[in-house]
Every structure is written in structure tokens, then in C-alpha cells.
Amino acid sequence: MADSSKWHPNDEGEEEEEEELDETAYKSAKDAVLFAIEVSASMLTPPPTSDPKKADTDTPASAALKCAYALMQQRIISNPNDMMGILLFGTELSKFQGEEQNSRGGLAYPHCYLLADLDIPAAGDVKVLKTMVEDEEESRKLLIPSTEPVSMANVLFCANQIFTTKAPNFSSRRLFIVTDNDNPHEHDKALRSAAAVRAKDLYDLGVIIELFPISKPNHEFDRTKFYDDIIYRMSPTDPDAPASTASATKASSTGDGISLLNSLLSSINSKAVARRALFSNVPLEIGPGFRISVKGYILFKRQEPKRSCYVWLNGERAEIAKGVSTQMAEDTARTVEKGEIKKAYKFGGEQVVFTPEELSSLRNFGEPVIRIIGFKPMSMLPIWASLKQSTFIYPSEEDYVGSTRVFSALQQKLLKDEKMGIAWFIARKNAAPVIAAIIPGAEKLDDHGQQMIPPGMWIVPIPYADDIRQNPDTTLIRAPDSLADRMRTVVQQLQLPKAQYNPEKYPNPALQWHYRILQAMALEEDLPEKSDDKTIPKYKQIDKRAGTYVIDWGLELEQQYQAWKRDNQSTTTLAKRPGPNDTGGAPKKPKTAATAGADNIGDDEMRDHYNKNTVNKLTVAALRSWMARKNLDTIGKKADLVERIEGFFESK
């Protein structure tokens, strides 16, 4: 059994009353990314074009710098604690930490130019990189390929030095290598061996190397020639391992199709966010004494703008102001120490006080565990039975050897039989247990063979009996088959590509607009006029594809409504009863004794309605009549009256 501290590494200083799964560690895990971009003659040559209008005008090196610039723009706002750096290798000029830019000899890392040191990017860093990307003269001065070959062992050792000095304690450190040379040391085995040793040093340091290969128009990038020796292809069952199925980014031979920039940017964005476990090594108990260990991940989480903060501007530079809360006695205004305060719950109008030890014992339902208590068909899980976001779980070999094999067998069996597990789930210490469905998930790939969703299982919390509320009163009018058939045609015409929703195509417009405004103000750029909202429907295409069918459906709806109106005329178009002043009319009849008595409800009858939770079924007149006899306020809507009556009985 693993130490309980592994389940929640940041428990120190937190109150034990928190029952929700704490995501502080998940959010605050720091990531350091260093771009290593090769500068060579082929990387500075744009792909050949046949159609100037559709040409890839960016060279591979320029596209890589633009990708780094785009990623830095995103991270400076969305991930303000993450570090990023850019290292160019194969350049004629050399520069490292503290060295001169134009120095050529006596350097520890020749032909390596540290364009941006690994650090938290500031607005000034973004401006410098922006100038490099947009000013061809500046980039032409720097992007001069070396006449001598560069040693990959030297490049990797340089990256090792940067990570060691700048990000020694980061939980995630990654090196992004962008190159089109699949065999840099074809005729020198010594340099190949030295590069493999330096790569091993990086992995021992905890740095993951990600390769972004670029295929040339007439040559497919072959990883097996060199990079398979320095980039470890770890088991695909390890979610923390670098993806080994990445295909090479192709520079199109004709300039048609996806541009090199978009293709490379898409590949880098897919790995821009490091994988971070929400909880680690929680035992998955399949039977008594039969356990494996798993890790939990949040694969989908709503992204929100960072909270604003107060700053102090009277110093040399703006500093974030930290707030401090102090408890004060209401009568004497003296400061109340934390030890003087106790926790209490309200019950029956009284405060029930608990000691910290009593609260801890009340919340203790055992150690964190995922205990399977049975299996059910997937068809028994309704779509509404989901309370919170799902957690993706994956096996871990740290506590129980063989967990991966057992996990894989269970996942495949559940998929094959279309079954789900029902589990007792305690996410963390002092957390309230939940009943959850364990749903198997198959691997999903995109059109290019890239993994979108890994194979594994999902923990979906399902409701208890106490969580289910009363259904609203509804009246269903079923549409005729002819109307449903016409709407089916409309729906078929407006389906998404492959009938699937791809969230990568629809950025959050409010979030992107927020970041765009912040970026423009921080970089002193012109404020944009409008946001790029990709969720706005394409009305012209909709009208072209389904406009005629929608009009036909509207005509059919009108015909069906008129037919329904005729069939229900006896109940919907009653003749108005003449009033007392109408010609030949008779005066209204007074209320009968039975009608008047229906609004007079006794105390016992009202209590029965309260116990059955049917007070809202009574008429407003009946509620007000009873409330008037009890001297209760009778002003307001029906919901207000029901609430006052329920409060009256609750206080008894």
C-alpha cells in the first residue's frame, strides 16, 4: 500500500473539512518548455510552389519561430507560472547565458544561440520574438546556418545546463526539437553515441524530449536513423511518456492543402499542456485482496480567465498585494484567534458544536479507494445520471506490479460485453464517498492517426436517492409522424462533419476575446475591433443546404396545427358566456357552498399536504385562506406562499 501522502501531496496547511477533490496541485504544477530549432540551409528554404495563391511562404525555421511566438503569447496569460525558452542550433553566431552575441571562439556550446533564456515570459520577451518573426531583416541577420556541423550531444548538453540552472524543481520539463534532418551524424558513430549519452542524462534529470520532425518534399523523415536512439519510446500504456506515434509534419510539394505553419502549430499545440495527474496510486479494488493502482486525470475542464488581483503601484515596479483576513469579536472588536473558533452546524434552530477531532471522525470513511461492488449493462445508465465531471483513470505500476495487464483485461472485457462497473469511490482523505460508474473507453484517433482520446476507463459519479428532485409538471403533445419526418430531413442536412463535435475547432469566444484584449494592452498594440467567434452559425450555408426543407417543415407545421385546432375545438374554442350587462344575458351565479368550501382547508389537511410535499398542488385561494387564519403574509406569488407555509411547519 502506498503512503497516503501520494494521493494528495499538498495536504499541509489545508483544512480537513474539504470534501471535494482538491485540484490545487493539478492547477499549480509548473511546466518548463525549451524550443530547440535547427537552423540549416534546408530549414531556411521555403517549399516549392505551383500556385502562388496557395503557397507555403514560410520556411520551416520561420514557421517554428512563429509557433514558439504563438505559444508564448498563450502562456504569458493562461499559464503565468510556466517557463519557456528558445534555443537555435546550427547557427553561425553563438550565444549562451552571460556570453556575448557575436563571439565565435572559445565557447562551451558553439553554434548554439540562446534566443530567449528559459524563464517566465514577460511582455518584453514577446516583443523581441515578435520583432524576430515579423522583421525579415532582423531574422536574416541571425538565421545564418553554420558552415560546420553542429554536435547534437552539444545541443542536448546545452539544454541540460539550461534546465538545471533555470528550472531545477519544476515537475514538468520538456525539450521540443524541431528539425528536418533525420540523420545528423550519419558517418560518425562516436557523435551518435555521445548524443545518446546526453539524451539519457536528460531523461535521468526528468526532462522529456518531444520531436517535431519536418519531412522534405522529396524525403520522408525517418526517425529510426538517429532519433529513436535519443528519444525513448516508452510503453504507450504510460500516460506520462512522450507520444511515440507522432507523424512527421510535411512541407507540401505544391503549396496546396494545409500550410506548414498550421500543421506544425497544430502538432505543437497538441503537446503544449503537460499531462498532470489529479491523483496518483489510488488502489482499484476488483475483489477482496485483489488490488491494482491507478492514476486519475482531468482530460476536459472548463477554462476560465485568470482572476484579477490588486496591485501596489507606488514602488519601482508593480507588486501584487496580498490580502490577510482577521476574525474580530462583534461586541468588543478584539481579534479572535483561530484556536478560539469552533465549527458548528445548525439543526432545529440550534447550533451544534463539534471539536476538530469529532469533525475528523465524522468525515472519515476510510482510505482513498475505488472499490468495484458490481457490474451492470451500459444500457442501464441514463444520460441524466451524471452529477460532476468525469475522471479518466489509467494504470500505474508503482505500487502493484502487473496493474497494467489487469487493467487492460478489465477494460477490454467491459468494452466487449458492453458492461460498466459500479464502484464505491473515495477520491481523497476525508472526502465523502460517492457511487460511481466505471465506464470503459476505447482509443480514438483523428484523420492523421494522432491519438485524441487514449484507451482507458472513466469514473462517472452517479446520484444517490437524496440527489434526485421532483420532476416538473409537464404536458406532452406528440408531433405527428409527417412533421417528424420533415424535421429529420432538416437535421440530416445540418449534421456536423462525420456527425461528431470536434471541440478543437471552436475556441471559447469570450475567453479568446479576454486574452486578446489583455495581450494588446500588455504589448501596447492597437485594440482589436471585434473578436473571432467561430461559434456563429454560417447562415448562408445553412440556408443553401436546408433552407427549402425548413420552409416545407413550416408549412407542414401550420397544416398540422390547423388540423389539431379543429379536432380540439370543443375544448379550446368554447363560446363566451354572456355577462350580466349583455343583451338577453343573465347575471353571474354566486359561488355555491361546495365551491367556497373547497378553499377552506383545515390544519390537519394542510399538514398532510406538507408531509406529502404536495402543498404546491393547492390553489392560491386555498393557500391564502389558510395563511390568513394563521396571520401569515399572503402577498406574493404561489412559490412564495408555499415557501412560507413550509417554513411555518418546519419551525414547529
Side-chain angles (χ1 to χ4, degrees):
M1 177 68 68
D3 184 11
S4 61
S5 62
K6 291 184 180 180
W7 292 310
H8 187 64
N10 292 338
D11 271 337
E12 296 182 4
E14 294 189 2
E15 299 183 13
E16 292 188 349
E17 68 195 39
E18 298 179 4
E19 296 183 356
E20 298 296 331
L21 187 59
D22 185 34
E23 300 172 15
T24 305
Y26 179 82
K27 294 178 182 176
S28 63
K30 296 181 179 180
D31 183 35
V33 173
L34 177 64
F35 273 85
I37 303 172
E38 184 178 13
V39 177
S40 63
S42 58
M43 288 286 287
L44 296 175
T45 304
T49 61
S50 59
D51 185 355
K53 296 182 179 180
K54 300 182 179 179
D56 281 337
T57 58
D58 292 316
T59 66
S62 175
L65 284 174
K66 289 183 178 180
C67 290
Y69 172 60
L71 188 60
M72 184 178 286
Q73 284 180 302
Q74 297 171 10
R75 292 202 161 203
I76 195 174
I77 298 175
S78 60
N79 302 89
N81 296 323
D82 289 354
M83 287 187 176
M84 184 174 166
I86 301 174
L87 173 67
L88 306 177
F89 66 94
T91 56
E92 183 68 24
L93 298 177
S94 301
K95 178 186 176 185
F96 193 62
Q97 299 166 340
E99 295 177 347
E100 295 297 328
Q101 175 174 341
N102 297 322
S103 55
R104 295 173 180 268
L107 293 174
Y109 310 106
H111 308 303
C112 293
Y113 191 95
L114 190 58
L115 180 62
D117 202 356
L118 188 65
D119 203 347
I120 298 175
D125 301 324
V126 180
K127 289 182 179 179
V128 171
L129 188 55
K130 180 182 179 182
T131 302
M132 178 64 62
V133 168
E134 297 180 352
D135 192 340
E136 294 184 1
E137 288 294 330
E138 288 293 327
S139 61
R140 193 176 295 113
K141 293 178 183 178
L142 178 60
L143 301 180
I144 302 175
S146 170
T147 56
E148 301 175 359
V150 62
S151 170
M152 287 303 300
N154 213 29
V155 174
L156 297 177
F157 189 46
C158 178
N160 191 319
Q161 182 71 13
I162 294 172
F163 281 116
T164 303
T165 57
K166 290 294 185 177
N169 299 320
F170 274 45
S171 58
S172 172
R173 292 177 287 185
R174 294 176 294 162
L175 176 63
F176 288 2
I177 299 179
V178 184
T179 179
D180 65 349
N181 187 359
D182 56 7
N183 197 2
H185 303 308
E186 183 177 1
H187 304 293
D188 196 328
K189 292 184 178 180
L191 289 178
R192 292 174 62 95
S193 300
V197 172
R198 294 304 183 189
K200 180 64 166 58
D201 293 341
L202 280 173
Y203 278 105
D204 291 342
L205 189 64
V207 177
I208 295 177
I209 302 177
E210 300 272 15
L211 177 65
F212 296 93
I214 299 176
S215 292
K216 301 175 185 178
N218 55 354
H219 177 72
E220 187 77 18
F221 194 99
D222 188 356
R223 299 171 57 114
T224 61
K225 291 183 178 180
F226 174 77
Y227 282 97
D228 275 356
D229 294 334
I230 70 169
I231 297 179
Y232 293 176
R233 290 199 179 197
M234 302 177 71
S235 169
T237 59
D238 182 4
D240 293 326
S244 59
T245 58
S247 58
T249 301
K250 297 182 180 180
S252 59
S253 58
T254 62
D256 298 336
I258 301 176
S259 69
L260 173 64
L261 173 61
N262 292 336
S263 181
L264 187 60
L265 185 59
S266 174
S267 179
I268 289 177
N269 281 340
S270 66
K271 299 179 183 179
V273 180
R275 298 181 177 96
R276 296 166 180 169
L278 184 59
F279 56 78
S280 297
N281 303 327
V282 169
L284 172 60
E285 187 176 291
I286 303 175
F290 184 18
R291 290 186 169 190
I292 62 176
S293 58
V294 297
K295 292 183 178 181
Y297 299 84
I298 293 181
L299 298 189
F300 305 98
K301 181 171 179 60
R302 178 177 175 81
Q303 194 74 9
E304 298 177 352
K306 298 294 180 181
R307 293 180 56 187
S308 59
C309 57
Y310 294 102
V311 293
W312 183 61
L313 301 175
N314 293 334
E316 295 181 359
R317 55 181 299 180
E319 297 182 22
I320 297 178
K322 297 181 179 179
V324 179
S325 299
T326 303
Q327 303 285 348
M328 301 185 67
E330 186 177 359
D331 52 353
T332 61
R334 71 176 182 87
T335 302
V336 180
E337 300 297 333
K338 186 176 180 180
E340 301 179 63
I341 302 175
K342 292 186 177 181
K343 304 289 183 179
Y345 288 95
K346 188 175 181 180
F347 182 80
E350 298 182 0
Q351 300 288 347
V352 182
V353 181
F354 290 89
T355 64
E357 294 76 15
E358 290 172 336
L359 279 176
S360 178
S361 63
L362 283 174
R363 298 178 183 278
N364 186 12
F365 286 89
E367 294 295 325
V369 69
I370 306 171
R371 181 178 296 118
I372 295 180
I373 58 179
F375 298 94
K376 294 287 185 181
M378 284 288 298
S379 58
M380 294 187 65
L381 183 66
I383 191 173
W384 50 262
S386 178
L387 288 177
K388 301 178 182 177
Q389 64 184 21
S390 304
T391 304
F392 181 78
I393 58 174
Y394 216 79
S396 170
E397 297 283 331
E398 294 183 22
D399 286 349
Y400 300 98
V401 177
S403 295
T404 302
R405 179 171 297 182
V406 175
F407 184 92
S408 177
L410 177 61
Q411 182 251 1
Q412 293 179 36
K413 180 63 176 175
L414 292 178
L415 268 179
K416 180 180 178 181
D417 294 350
E418 297 184 352
K419 300 277 188 180
M420 64 178 176
I422 305 298
W424 167 273
F425 177 38
I426 301 178
R428 52 163 290 177
K429 195 174 181 180
N430 297 323
V434 299
I435 297 295
I438 299 182
I439 301 176
E443 182 182 30
K444 293 186 178 180
L445 305 176
D446 61 12
D447 296 337
H448 306 287
Q450 295 286 341
Q451 188 183 78
M452 297 175 60
I453 304 294
M457 291 191 286
W458 299 82
I459 297 180
V460 181
I462 55 180
Y464 288 109
D466 315 73
D467 302 325
I468 300 177
R469 298 189 177 184
Q470 186 177 2
N471 294 332
D473 295 331
T474 57
T475 302
L476 178 63
I477 300 178
R478 187 172 299 278
D481 293 339
S482 59
L483 199 61
D485 292 340
R486 290 188 180 275
M487 179 53 68
R488 184 179 297 109
T489 305
V490 174
V491 173
Q492 290 173 347
Q493 292 297 319
L494 297 180
Q495 278 192 352
L496 293 171
K498 298 184 179 180
Q500 290 184 346
Y501 168 69
N502 184 5
E504 294 182 355
K505 295 184 178 180
Y506 303 99
N508 185 336
L511 194 67
Q512 295 300 318
W513 181 244
H514 174 81
Y515 285 165
R516 185 68 188 90
I517 294 296
L518 285 182
Q519 174 186 315
M521 296 182 67
L523 302 182
E524 299 178 355
E525 300 174 344
D526 294 334
L527 294 179
E529 296 181 358
K530 62 179 182 178
S531 60
D532 183 16
D533 188 355
K534 294 186 178 180
T535 63
I536 297 177
K538 298 178 180 179
Y539 298 108
K540 291 184 178 179
Q541 294 185 14
I542 292 175
D543 180 61
K544 183 178 180 180
R545 297 182 61 179
T548 304
Y549 300 108
V550 172
I551 294 175
D552 293 342
W553 178 84
L555 296 175
E556 179 69 20
L557 174 63
E558 180 63 24
Q559 294 177 6
Q560 294 295 335
Y561 171 70
Q562 295 297 335
W564 177 86
K565 189 175 180 181
R566 289 193 300 271
D567 295 340
N568 295 270
Q569 188 173 7
S570 58
T571 58
T572 59
T573 57
L574 290 176
K576 183 179 178 181
R577 181 176 297 176
N581 298 327
D582 294 341
T583 305
K588 289 185 178 180
K589 294 183 179 179
K591 280 188 176 181
T592 62
T595 305
D599 293 338
N600 296 327
I601 296 179
D603 294 348
D604 294 338
E605 187 178 355
M606 183 63 77
R607 179 173 289 278
D608 290 339
H609 283 290
Y610 168 75
N611 293 332
K612 296 178 182 178
N613 198 23
T614 57
V615 177
N616 59 344
K617 302 292 185 181
L618 300 175
T619 64
V620 174
L623 296 177
R624 286 177 173 164
S625 175
W626 185 87
M627 294 173 69
R629 296 199 304 271
K630 297 296 180 182
N631 295 323
L632 298 176
D633 186 7
T634 60
I635 299 176
K637 298 181 179 179
K638 184 177 182 179
D640 300 328
L641 305 181
V642 172
E643 184 178 354
R644 292 190 195 117
I645 293 174
E646 291 177 346
F648 174 82
F649 284 109
E650 288 176 358
S651 62
K652 288 260 181 195

